[in-house]
Amino acid sequence: MLATRGLTWRIGEVAIVDSVYLDLAPGEFLGVIGPNGAGKTSLFNLITGLRRATEGRIILDGQDIGALPPHRRARLGLGRTFQASSVFGSLSVRENVRLAVQAHRGGSMALWRRAAADREVAVAADTALDRVGLAHRGTALAGTLAHGEKRKLEIALLLAGEPRVMLLDEPMAGVSAEDVPELVAVIKSLTGDSGRAVLMVEHHMDVILELADRIAVMHHGALLACDTPETVMGNPTVQEAYLGESL
Amino acid sequence: MGTVILLALTGLGLAALYFLVASGLSLVFGLADVLNFAHGLFLGVGAYGTWWAAGNLPGAGPDGFGFVLAVAFGVAAGTLVAILVELVLIRPLYSRTIEQVLVTVGLSLAGVALLQATWGADARPFPRPDWTRQVTGILGAQVPNGGLLLIIAAVLVLGAILAFLRWTRYGLVIRAGVENREMVTALGIDVRKAFTLVFAIGGAAAALAGALGGVYFGTVSPGQGSSLLIFAFIVVVIGGMGSVVGSAYAAVVVGLVQQFVNYYGTSGLGDICVVGLLAVVLLLRPQGIAGKVATA
Amino acid sequence: MTNSTLDAPPARVPAELTPQRGRWQRLRPFLPLVALVVLVILPYSTISLPGIFEGPVNSPGTLQLLAICLIFGGLAAGYDLLFGRTGMLSFGHALYFAAGVYGTDVLVTRAGLPLWQAALLTITGGTILAALLGAVALRTVGIAFAMVTLAFAQVGAILVARDFGGLTGGEEGLPLDVSGLPAGLVGVTNTVNLYWLALAYLTLVVFVVHRVSGSPTGRVLAGLRDDERRIGVLGLDPYRYKLVAFTLAGGLASTGGVVYVLIVGGASPHITSSELTLSLLVMVVLGGPGTRWGPVLGGVLYMYLDHRLTAFGTSDAVDNLPAVLSRPLSQPLFVLGTVFILAVYFFPGGLTSLAPRLSHLTRALRPQRTPPG
Amino acid sequence: ATACGSPQDTATGGGDSAAPVKVGLVYSQSGALASYGKQYIEGFKAGLDFATMGTGKVGDRKIELTEVDDAGDPAKAVSAAKDLIGKGAKIIAGSTASGVALQVAPIAAQNKVLFISGPAATDAVTGANKYTFRSGRQSYQDVVTAKSFIGDPAGKKVVVFAQDGAFGDANEAAVKTVIGGAGATVSSVRAPASATEFTPFASQIKVAKPDLLFVAWAGTTAPAMWQSLDQQGVLSSTTVVTGLDIRSSWPTFGAAGTKISFLSHYFDGASDTEASKALKAKVSTIDLFHPDGFAAAQMVVRAVQEGGDDVDKMVTALEDWSFDGVKGKMTIRAADHALLQPMFQAKLTGSGTAFTATAQKSLTGDETAPPAVAMKG
Amino acid sequence: MEPILSVEDLSVRISGLHILQGVSFTVAPTGVTVLLGRNGVGKTTTLRAIVGLTPPAGEVRGTIRMGAQSLLARPTHRLVRGGLGYVPEDRCVFAGLTVAENLRLAERRGTSPAYDKVFALFPELDRRGRQRAGSLSGGQQQMLAIGRVLLNDNRLLLVDEPTKGLAPKVVTEVAEVLERVAESVPVLLVEQNLAVVRRLARDAVVLAAGKVAWTGDARELLLETALTKSLLGVGTGEAHRPAGSDRASVAGKDAH
Ligand SMILES: Nc1ncnc2c1ncn2[C@@H]1O[C@H](COP(=O)(O)OP(=O)(O)OP(=O)(O)O)[C@@H](O)[C@H]1O
Ligand SMILES: Nc1ncnc2c1ncn2[C@@H]1O[C@H](COP(=O)(O)OP(=O)(O)OP(=O)(O)O)[C@@H](O)[C@H]1O
Ligand SMILES: CC(C)C[C@H](N)C(=O)O
Ligand SMILES: [Mg+2]
Ligand SMILES: [Mg+2]
């Protein structure tokens, strides 16, 4: 479904992302782990078009999307969340999600219709909010949410876009332990039988282990391994490079 | 040949003037994040300060050491006003960029009007040593000494500012404070001092521009600062905000383009070229010539 | 200390849910209509407000002043579509206004076109101009965008000042040839018609801005203001939406120019200056960016002060003050500038922020009553 | 005090033969032209005193002045004019800046009130419409005066150095007609009004080697411009003519001052008329635009005397009227309301801060008469 | 033992929201005191109030004392110079400055900065001295943020979620660093990672609904599953423990 072929991003001499070959099948959940600075976020930026790769191709459903701007890629079904929450701070939580739903329904340039009157958008937005458990915060300004709540909103925004390939950048970062299972359930429900593929960066190993079908390990911009969780966890290089001593 | 030299050197003189105004603007704008529309006021204060001192301050006058004293007084006055403006008007408004615009626009209107109320709308003859009215023959060109004086002053100011930013602790604090004031404070540094300092430096440079511009033009009038300001802004932006070196390059380019195009092309084309240059530079390199690439 | 009642989140009640539905609240949606009606019938009143206006409300001088204020109210509201609602800081908005003023003036005075044709051509032209220049300028963002728009406007100012082919009259400006104009728009006795025209313009702009902000596109614009990158990742092209807002605002400004040239009876170059754009920004900030009435109030107040302060400066009250005070106070720009500075400290967030604070005040002053069930 | 009225109400002036006559003075009290405006109003008040023998009255009717500041902004001037007309003023005078005069003139015509433009120099006010007059000189008269400096222009080479825009255009055009028409070859060097560095232009002029350089420059950059011309040796190599501005600007010429030939609208001592004595008694030193205000007041008094409240009668009364103004004999030409008036050649002597102007020659109103234009409206 | 910091009846309102509603607790003069609670409960707000960084729209009431000295209403830079070190939640390194410059900035006048200590803990910072901090990865930035504070001697450290978004290996390293630091300086730590909490904390303060819901011995809190469950919503033995949880759970997953 999504594939990268020799994807590389250099700044000067340094390869931040170094010749990455990835394949993501429909319905697959691929976890990405790797030490801080391995290039995980950078890889996401390349795939979603926020950065232009210096070499290599990105293929979505057989089409090379490497030259498209971010919004075109999104329209093709690529959605993502950000490591540092990026929500529309001056809009209410509900408006945030409605905006995402509206974007998904097609960005027609309606200047005269009343946005609030669109029932379908409203319903879809409320559904997404419900799924992440933020329904009770609908009227709050997104900018005033606590960090963990922003993460949830971020996922709601993603959900609203019903993407076919989802890139989640550390969705659990800063989420209180209490809410982790809930979010995990939400993320789990994203894949299911829908044929959606997920690429998720996460440092919470147990979350990765619970969700991922395969795990890719990045190190110094390159893919160190990409295999089933069991194999990856048993790999001594991975242990050395990433997990380190246990507490 | 003589014409080319003359145009080049007078162009550089103009560039020097732009740079003196722009350098402070760029620092304040790029580092303290204040779009200071009242910067022209500092220039006006510098010019009127020098003018006043030459006539009234004991020891000061239009010649020799007296003139140096008058300029020093003008620069001190400009610096003082800049510091006061920062302390009283801008300081309470940091991080409220848009309200700062309102205040600085208000200040530029009120300040110029105040100069006018005090000394009248008409241009006053500017006291200056006789040699600044003369010309120096350089390779067949009769180059105004006032312009040469500006060039020398601008080079000195450029060197001083760079050394300050690069090698002093306050330079470091200024550069960091721009990014995150709060965090600088959280490291135990009183960041507000640094911003006052930036204003003081900018005010001093602008006041110097006012004094030497007065020498160059031969007069002082209340609106002088504001009319230079638009080109100074263009210079700041072409050069890249916050980059003093960028401002220097940009000032040279703008000064020379204006001078040469005005001579060889038709009138008014020089200004249009400069404005066109601004648009082209920004479209190709939105951060300006020397501007730092924004971090993602 | 051990205590485990943990359910309620920190106390906070969203404003929308605060039960505060007095009679007043139910009237609120109709207030704009009421205000409009009052403004429409205002010229029938001979009421005098000494000190505020030179003559009775229905005198030509007062109506002329009001008309100019209304135009700028509308202009500021249109500019806010860019600045307050989309987060685009344009320093070149004066260009589209000037295009409206000079376009109409040149077409009527030099080309002899009937007004309606000139107006139509000008508004179309101004809108296209905004679209074209916007298409280029929007390749940049932030301060760079502000400066590119400033550059374009500056070229406009230079062209007007150069007076190519004697078209614009250079620094002397171009008086409007009224011979072909409808009689109802000419002459002091018909100032009221110009007033109504200005009111219509203001109403149009407020309505358009209101509708657009409430539309799906308006929602995207609000999103752009907060996080443009996110809009792209959601699948919307930020560039297209910004261009639409820019073009629309440009078209509204040109329309304002058409009305303005009729009211003032000519074009003069200082409407092309960057100061005008800056004053638009000042108006919006003065009133409260991103609010429905703030920019309008700001524009009206700015223009009112701009016109009336000249009279204030020459008034006896000022003349009789000691020289230290009367000299600066007789400079209108000194007073105007000082007003801006004070406004920032006394009404942070703009004039519209005054309303909630006033209501706080009245509530605090009112004796506590048990809230109605 | 709520009351209802028609939205088209305007006060109706006078009718009553003892009611005061309302005269609106709209001019620059603040802004860049404030000092011109100040001279104008001083002149006007002195002129009113002179023409009404100190009574301030025409017959039994008091002249009631309302002064309004336009700050140099046409929009404000138009508002003020409409306000004054609405309140019954039949005469508007003032207009320090050309841009203001040009936009107030149509208002006067539309509302059939008398408009007497002030210092605004643009030729376009002349012949603007039936209701518009002028109390000052116009650019064309400046140029004719300049021509008098070079004797026979035939075969001479003349360069006009002027700022961009209408003021420069008008001067260039006038030089082409007046001096070029007399056989000189005229070329021009133009510079943006906003320029601060004049060396390129000075070099261009130097290269052109003209027999006469006519400079039309207004504004605060003028001193820098003169300095550049001087430094590049233009002033010492050719005859340079320009208009003499207000006294406070003289010191800004610096060393250049004595090298320039000035055409002058007026300076203290240029004439020795009854009016000039009366004016001097009031203002001690007469400056450039005092005579314009003085003449305006004389015209107002004449208009009221002959016309009462009837504006058309006022117009007739002013047309073809000759009177003794500060400058000497002034004549209002009926065809286009040009104000024919003496003009002067002047020289500055002294140095640095203390120049004195002396008249070289004066030209009569007929000698400097601009060509008549058709009345536009 | 006299507490190093005592917070009494701290109340913070930010633009109308009553975020902290009378919070009182103390920080012991040695060891780590951990501040726990769900997302949005006001942990960060508490730390920021202590260090004087409440946003302009905010209003702080109550008393905050360090020793005998009241901290309220004193400017942040004074507090910090007085020995209050603060590591913010989102790192806040100066992106445009190099790593070395970031560190140099943190030096305080009149003290000798302990560079060797910092570089021994984070050799990465030494190696990357000339790199611009903005181009560091999230984890590297966190190291810089902590290293910056450790340059100086402090009387109390406030550390907000230092392990957020860090790889397990680095989490361990950071925890070790904090452990060592805590031997000489008391630390008030906000942390979501219970494994880290368990390793470091001596005392715990649990916030809920803008108030203090529980204070006491951290070990006691973590031992009592019922208590943690009711206060924090998790039992210590449950699967969904955040990052850095011990390998046992990893192994457990492996065994599925
Ligand atoms: N714009 C940039 N310029 C220079 N270096 C960069 C830039 N962006 C990222 N880097 C470098 O690229 C490397 C990878 O960064 P990236 O943010 O992708 O890491 P990551 O795997 O997401 O780490 P973490 O888990 O800490 O978020 C880091 O070493 C970082 O310093
Ligand atoms: N500037 C602000 N304006 C309005 N509300 C705010 C502001 N800052 C924080 N809040 C609110 O205060 C509450 C507490 O926020 P705080 O960041 O202190 O929580 P936290 O306990 O640190 O959460 P997390 O674990 O997610 O970091 C949240 O509900 C948040 O919405
Ligand atoms: C300068 C003066 C001679 C007159 C005035 N400036 C005008 O425009 O016309
Ligand atoms: Mg990352
Ligand atoms: Mg927090």
Side-chain angles (χ1 to χ4, degrees):
Chain A
M1 190 163 200
L2 177 75
T4 64
R5 291 285 166 260
L7 199 59
T8 303
W9 183 46
R10 275 178 222 286
I11 295 183
E13 288 298 290
V14 196
I16 307 284
V17 174
D18 194 358
S19 188
V20 168
Y21 288 80
L22 264 187
D23 282 283
L24 198 59
E28 189 181 17
F29 199 116
L30 179 63
V32 182
I33 59 172
N36 301 114
K40 305 178 294 294
T41 301
S42 305
L43 177 67
F44 276 23
N45 286 344
L46 294 181
I47 295 177
T48 49
L50 295 180
R51 298 273 177 191
R52 221 25 94 72
T54 24
E55 285 156 48
R57 289 180 303 148
I58 306 161
I59 295 147
L60 184 67
D61 296 325
Q63 185 192 350
D64 188 343
I65 58 169
L68 300 181
H71 66 273
R72 297 280 305 280
R73 301 189 195 192
R75 299 225 66 87
L76 292 172
L78 212 54
R80 78 169 282 182
T81 65
F82 289 88
Q83 183 169 357
S85 296
S86 102
V87 295
F88 304 109
S90 71
L91 298 184
S92 71
V93 168
R94 188 163 289 131
E95 279 294 300
N96 262 272
V97 188
R98 286 184 180 179
L99 175 50
V101 174
Q102 182 189 315
H104 172 59
R105 302 266 155 115
S108 78
M109 200 64 80
L111 288 167
W112 214 244
R113 228 174 15 175
R114 295 210 337 117
D118 196 332
R119 297 293 321 151
E120 279 178 39
V121 170
V123 169
D126 288 344
T127 315
L129 273 182
D130 253 345
R131 276 177 83 176
V132 298
L134 270 183
H136 65 290
R137 298 288 268 147
T139 52
L141 282 192
T144 64
L145 291 185
H147 179 76
E149 294 170 318
K150 281 191 189 147
R151 308 292 331 180
K152 293 183 190 167
L153 178 55
E154 184 107 2
I155 292 180
L157 290 183
L158 178 70
L159 279 176
E162 298 176 17
R164 291 179 303 124
V165 180
M166 304 195 297
L167 288 74
L168 308 175
D169 197 351
E170 300 198 30
M172 301 299 161
V175 177
S176 54
E178 176 215 12
D179 299 325
V180 170
E182 220 177 289
L183 265 185
V184 168
V186 169
I187 294 174
K188 209 173 203 169
S189 75
L190 298 180
T191 43
D193 49 340
S194 62
R196 279 188 202 128
V198 178
L199 198 59
M200 178 172 88
V201 173
E202 190 49 73
H203 288 309
H204 289 199
M205 280 313 297
D206 37 7
V207 172
I208 285 269
L209 289 173
E210 176 166 349
L211 291 172
D213 301 318
R214 286 190 301 150
I215 295 180
V217 185
M218 280 189 84
H219 191 49
H220 290 319
L223 271 194
L224 205 62
C226 182
D227 217 324
T228 60
E230 289 75 16
T231 327
V232 167
M233 297 319 290
N235 184 335
T237 333
V238 173
Q239 297 210 348
E240 157 65 22
Y242 181 54
L243 299 170
E245 288 283 305
S246 86
L247 275 162
Chain B
M1 185 61 199
T3 313
V4 174
I5 302 260
L6 181 65
L7 292 177
L9 284 173
T10 49
L12 286 178
L14 194 58
L17 193 60
Y18 289 155
F19 170 76
L20 287 177
V21 185
S23 56
L25 203 56
S26 181
L27 273 180
V28 167
F29 185 23
L31 300 181
D33 218 14
V34 176
L35 214 50
N36 186 12
F37 291 100
H39 200 68
L41 177 64
F42 306 155
L43 186 140
V45 171
Y48 273 100
T50 307
W51 171 81
W52 182 88
N56 302 292
L57 191 72
D63 277 308
F65 177 73
F67 181 70
V68 175
L69 192 65
V71 171
F73 180 85
V75 171
T79 314
L80 190 71
V81 170
I83 291 175
L84 284 178
V85 165
E86 198 277 341
L87 287 181
V88 178
L89 295 178
I90 310 282
R91 179 168 282 196
L93 296 178
Y94 275 116
S95 79
R96 285 156 70 188
T97 319
I98 285 310
E99 290 174 343
Q100 283 168 0
V101 170
L102 196 62
V103 165
T104 58
V105 168
L107 190 62
S108 69
L109 295 178
V112 170
L114 197 59
L115 289 178
Q116 187 168 328
T118 318
W119 285 298
D122 302 321
R124 306 275 187 140
F126 201 80
R128 55 201 168 137
D130 250 347
W131 60 268
T132 61
R133 299 168 205 248
Q134 258 103 65
V135 289
T136 302
I138 299 177
L139 298 172
Q142 303 297 305
V143 186
N145 290 340
L148 297 176
L149 180 65
L150 271 171
I151 297 175
I152 294 168
V155 170
L156 292 178
V157 168
L158 172 64
I161 295 182
L162 285 186
F164 174 81
L165 282 183
R166 223 160 262 173
W167 289 311
T168 66
R169 180 171 167 80
Y170 263 112
L172 186 63
V173 171
I174 289 171
R175 287 188 290 149
V178 170
E179 280 186 35
N180 191 338
R181 273 167 59 74
E182 197 173 75
M183 200 51 223
V184 171
T185 337
L187 290 177
I189 298 161
D190 186 0
V191 77
R192 293 173 306 179
K193 276 191 200 148
F195 285 107
T196 313
L197 196 62
V198 167
F199 264 82
I201 295 172
L208 185 64
L212 298 186
V215 170
Y216 193 46
F217 298 140
T219 52
V220 50
S221 58
Q224 227 160 31
S226 348
S227 59
L228 276 172
L229 196 63
I230 189 143
F231 281 104
F233 259 116
I234 290 178
V235 163
V236 169
V237 175
I238 293 185
M241 291 141 221
S243 166
V244 177
V245 182
S247 290
Y249 286 129
V252 169
V253 172
V254 169
L256 291 181
V257 164
Q258 258 184 342
Q259 223 46 358
F260 278 91
V261 175
N262 275 343
Y263 184 82
Y264 291 105
T266 77
S267 140
L269 202 59
D271 290 357
I272 294 186
C273 278
V274 168
V275 169
L277 187 72
L278 169 78
V280 170
V281 166
L282 283 181
L283 289 170
L284 296 181
R285 239 183 108 78
Q287 70 278 21
I289 306 180
K292 26 188 177 182
V293 186
T295 33
Chain C
M1 186 194 100
T2 312
N3 174 354
S4 39
T5 44
L6 301 171
D7 317 298
R12 93 172 49 97
V13 188
E16 289 88 334
L17 302 178
T18 338
Q20 232 221 358
R21 278 177 233 280
R23 222 167 293 147
W24 181 243
Q25 290 299 309
R26 245 174 285 135
L27 270 180
R28 264 195 88 125
F30 299 101
L31 280 184
L33 261 183
V34 174
L36 182 62
V37 170
V38 169
L39 284 173
V40 167
I41 58 172
L42 195 63
Y44 291 95
S45 147
T46 55
I47 194 168
S48 259
L49 301 166
I52 297 184
F53 294 117
E54 285 285 339
V57 174
N58 71 337
S59 71
T62 306
L63 289 174
Q64 170 84 8
L65 173 59
L66 285 175
I68 290 179
C69 291
L70 292 176
I71 288 284
F72 275 82
L75 216 50
Y79 180 69
D80 192 50
L81 188 62
L82 288 184
F83 175 67
R85 313 229 174 213
T86 317
M88 288 191 270
L89 182 60
S90 163
F91 278 171
H93 206 59
L95 179 63
Y96 310 103
F97 176 62
V101 173
Y102 272 98
T104 314
D105 200 350
V106 168
L107 288 176
V108 168
T109 306
R110 302 275 194 237
L113 291 189
L115 178 63
W116 67 271
Q117 282 184 15
L120 213 62
L121 274 175
T122 304
I123 295 172
T124 319
T127 313
I128 293 175
L129 183 72
L132 289 179
L133 296 185
V136 177
L138 284 169
R139 303 263 161 222
T140 60
V141 294
I143 275 299
F145 171 75
M147 290 299 157
V148 172
T149 49
L150 175 71
F152 288 145
Q154 202 58 27
V155 171
I158 294 172
L159 291 180
V160 166
R162 272 300 303 270
D163 190 16
F164 282 109
L167 223 47
T168 61
E171 79 279 11
E172 287 173 1
L174 182 62
L176 181 68
D177 178 2
V178 296
S179 54
L181 253 47
L185 296 177
V186 181
V188 164
T189 48
N190 288 320
T191 310
V192 65
N193 294 335
L194 298 174
Y195 166 84
W196 279 325
L197 201 58
L199 184 59
Y201 170 71
L202 174 66
T203 313
L204 171 82
V205 176
V206 170
F207 187 60
V208 167
V209 171
H210 178 61
R211 270 317 276 251
V212 169
S213 318
S215 77
T217 300
R219 187 184 272 156
V220 179
L221 297 182
L224 280 170
R225 178 181 58 193
D226 287 350
D227 191 340
E228 188 174 328
R229 188 182 60 158
R230 188 40 138 165
I231 290 286
V233 171
L234 286 178
L236 297 172
D237 186 358
Y239 179 82
R240 266 182 64 206
Y241 283 89
K242 288 199 286 184
L243 188 55
V244 165
F246 193 85
T247 309
L248 188 61
L252 288 176
S254 307
T255 312
V258 174
V259 182
Y260 182 81
V261 78
L262 294 173
I263 292 175
V264 173
S268 51
H270 67 232
I271 58 160
T272 65
S273 70
S274 53
E275 275 113 67
L276 185 76
T277 310
L278 273 188
S279 33
L280 286 180
L281 183 63
V282 166
M283 292 170 197
V284 170
V285 177
L286 198 61
T291 57
R292 182 159 17 145
W293 299 110
V296 176
L297 280 181
V300 168
L301 183 70
Y302 183 108
M303 265 330 199
Y304 173 80
L305 289 178
D306 189 39
H307 275 70
R308 290 289 297 157
L309 282 176
T310 51
F312 169 75
T314 51
S315 68
D316 291 341
V318 170
D319 277 349
N320 295 337
L321 291 172
V324 242
L325 285 177
S326 76
R327 280 238 218 115
L329 287 183
S330 64
Q331 295 284 340
L333 290 182
F334 176 80
V335 183
L336 193 65
T338 311
V339 167
F340 296 160
I341 296 172
L342 294 180
V344 170
Y345 297 98
F346 290 106
F347 326 120
L351 291 175
T352 41
S353 73
L354 206 58
R357 283 198 291 155
L358 279 180
S359 68
H360 271 298
L361 194 69
T362 46
R363 219 173 305 146
L365 292 177
R366 212 179 312 155
Q368 289 296 320
R369 262 177 294 156
T370 41
Chain D
T2 317
C4 281
S6 138
Q8 299 185 334
D9 266 353
T10 53
T12 39
D16 180 356
S17 64
V21 185
K22 294 180 179 171
V23 175
L25 295 176
V26 184
Y27 66 98
S28 295
Q29 292 174 332
S30 64
L33 300 181
S35 27
Y36 296 164
K38 185 159 179 287
Q39 294 172 15
Y40 176 84
I41 192 67
E42 284 171 1
F44 191 95
K45 287 185 174 154
L48 192 62
D49 247 19
F50 178 75
T52 60
M53 323 286 179
T55 62
K57 286 186 179 171
V58 177
D60 290 338
R61 307 185 64 184
K62 193 169 159 31
I63 305 280
E64 187 181 295
L65 299 181
T66 312
E67 293 174 42
V68 186
D69 182 12
D70 65 21
D73 177 358
K76 292 196 183 83
V78 166
S79 294
K82 285 191 175 180
D83 185 40
L84 291 165
I85 295 169
K87 287 180 185 157
K90 290 283 182 227
I91 303 175
I92 305 284
S95 293
T96 325
S98 294
V100 170
L102 288 178
Q103 301 211 3
V104 174
I107 302 289
Q110 287 159 30
N111 299 292
K112 307 212 173 354
V113 299
L114 192 68
F115 171 52
I116 302 172
S117 165
T122 178
D123 292 316
V125 167
T126 300
N129 57 56
K130 181 183 158 198
Y131 297 93
T132 298
F133 291 79
R134 70 187 314 149
S135 63
R137 59 78 165 99
Q138 67 186 74
S139 291
Y140 197 96
Q141 289 162 326
D142 286 351
V143 175
V144 177
T145 314
K147 170 170 164 262
S148 65
F149 281 98
I150 49 164
D152 182 12
K156 296 261 174 67
K157 187 168 180 191
V158 177
V159 170
V160 186
F161 180 41
Q163 61 200 44
D164 285 335
F167 176 67
D169 285 348
N171 277 280
E172 185 184 333
V175 173
K176 288 200 163 129
T177 341
V178 177
I179 312 183
T185 41
V186 180
S187 62
S188 76
V189 172
R190 303 290 294 271
S194 61
T196 45
E197 221 306 318
F198 294 91
T199 312
F201 309 108
S203 318
Q204 278 174 357
I205 294 165
K206 186 83 191 295
V207 170
K209 291 196 172 51
D211 298 303
L212 176 79
L213 174 68
F214 179 80
V215 180
W217 200 275
T220 52
T221 51
M225 185 267 306
W226 289 117
Q227 172 165 303
S228 289
L229 289 185
D230 196 15
Q231 284 176 338
Q232 298 307 315
V234 175
L235 299 187
S236 45
S237 64
T238 180
T239 310
V240 179
V241 185
T242 194
L244 185 60
D245 204 347
I246 55 175
R247 293 186 82 88
S248 67
S249 76
W250 296 357
T252 66
F253 284 115
T258 51
K259 301 178 192 165
I260 304 170
S261 311
F262 291 99
L263 64 94
S264 173
H265 172 44
Y266 199 78
F267 58 88
D268 199 349
S271 67
D272 189 27
T273 56
E274 282 306 309
S276 75
K277 284 179 205 148
L279 176 58
K280 200 166 162 59
K282 297 260 178 196
V283 300
S284 78
T285 307
I286 306 179
D287 209 339
L288 184 62
F289 290 124
H290 282 117
D292 300 36
F294 199 96
Q298 291 175 299
M299 290 164 75
V300 166
V301 171
R302 159 87 179 179
V304 175
Q305 254 164 7
E306 305 291 317
D309 284 318
D310 184 338
V311 177
D312 286 311
K313 272 197 200 147
M314 294 183 189
V315 171
T316 330
L318 287 176
E319 286 179 341
D320 265 335
W321 183 48
S322 278
F323 60 102
D324 291 316
V326 176
K327 299 175 76 174
K329 181 171 175 247
M330 325 274 275
T331 306
I332 300 169
R333 189 162 64 192
D336 58 0
H337 299 181
L339 182 62
L340 309 184
Q341 57 195 300
M343 294 292 289
F344 307 93
Q345 288 185 358
K347 216 48 192 166
L348 289 185
T349 51
S351 73
T353 46
F355 281 117
T356 37
T358 43
Q360 303 292 101
K361 183 177 170 192
S362 70
L363 289 82
T364 65
D366 288 335
E367 282 172 312
T368 58
V373 293
M375 193 67 88
K376 288 190 218 48
Chain E
M1 264 189 306
E2 276 290 298
I4 176 82
L5 183 83
S6 66
V7 173
E8 261 169 60
D9 202 22
L10 179 66
S11 155
V12 176
R13 285 174 196 271
I14 298 176
S15 37
L17 302 183
H18 202 172
I19 294 167
L20 298 183
Q21 316 174 2
V23 168
S24 308
F25 63 91
T26 57
V27 176
T30 55
V32 174
T33 303
V34 69
L35 189 58
L36 298 168
R38 302 175 180 192
N39 289 132
V41 83
K43 304 180 294 293
T44 301
T45 307
T46 308
L47 291 200
R48 291 173 63 89
I50 294 171
V51 76
L53 286 176
T54 305
E59 176 193 322
V60 183
R61 296 247 177 85
T63 45
I64 304 176
R65 298 180 173 283
M66 194 150 88
Q69 197 178 36
S70 170
L71 302 191
L72 269 188
R74 297 191 57 201
T76 303
H77 65 271
R78 289 267 164 70
L79 295 176
V80 173
R81 270 191 235 157
L84 191 62
Y86 174 59
V87 181
E89 183 171 17
D90 29 20
R91 294 159 199 153
C92 301
V93 297
F94 299 105
L97 271 51
T98 64
V99 170
E101 284 175 328
N102 265 279
L103 290 171
R104 189 140 59 83
L105 199 63
E107 295 173 6
R108 281 179 214 151
R109 289 240 176 94
T111 60
S112 55
Y115 274 103
D116 17 345
K117 187 167 100 192
V118 172
F119 289 153
L121 291 173
F122 306 112
E124 192 85 344
L125 296 183
D126 200 6
R127 276 199 299 279
R128 291 184 182 267
R130 300 175 65 105
Q131 187 178 345
R132 285 201 310 111
S135 65
L136 292 175
S137 79
Q140 293 159 348
Q141 293 188 5
Q142 185 69 59
M143 297 178 205
L144 180 55
I146 298 176
R148 203 162 54 173
V149 173
L150 296 183
L151 275 182
N152 304 291
D153 290 333
N154 291 297
R155 289 167 62 200
L156 173 66
L157 280 187
L158 308 176
V159 184
D160 199 350
E161 296 209 41
T163 65
K164 188 170 89 187
L166 297 190
K169 184 180 173 187
V170 185
V171 169
T172 315
E173 284 171 14
V174 168
E176 272 166 18
V177 169
L178 287 174
E179 192 168 35
R180 247 185 293 158
V181 169
E183 286 165 12
S184 48
V185 197
V187 176
L188 176 59
L189 175 72
V190 172
E191 185 55 75
Q192 293 279 10
N193 186 330
L194 291 187
V196 175
V197 171
R198 182 177 310 126
R199 172 165 178 172
L200 297 174
R202 223 181 53 186
D203 302 308
V205 177
V206 182
L207 291 185
K211 297 205 168 84
V212 172
W214 192 91
T215 56
D217 190 314
R219 243 148 304 173
E220 189 185 316
L221 174 72
L222 294 172
L223 276 177
E224 282 189 48
T225 316
L227 198 55
T228 36
K229 189 155 179 79
S230 71
L231 289 175
L232 304 173
V234 287
T236 38
E238 277 178 26
H240 299 301
R241 230 165 317 146
S245 48
D246 33 57
R247 280 291 251 308
S249 73
V250 174
K253 168 81 185 185
D254 283 351
H256 281 319

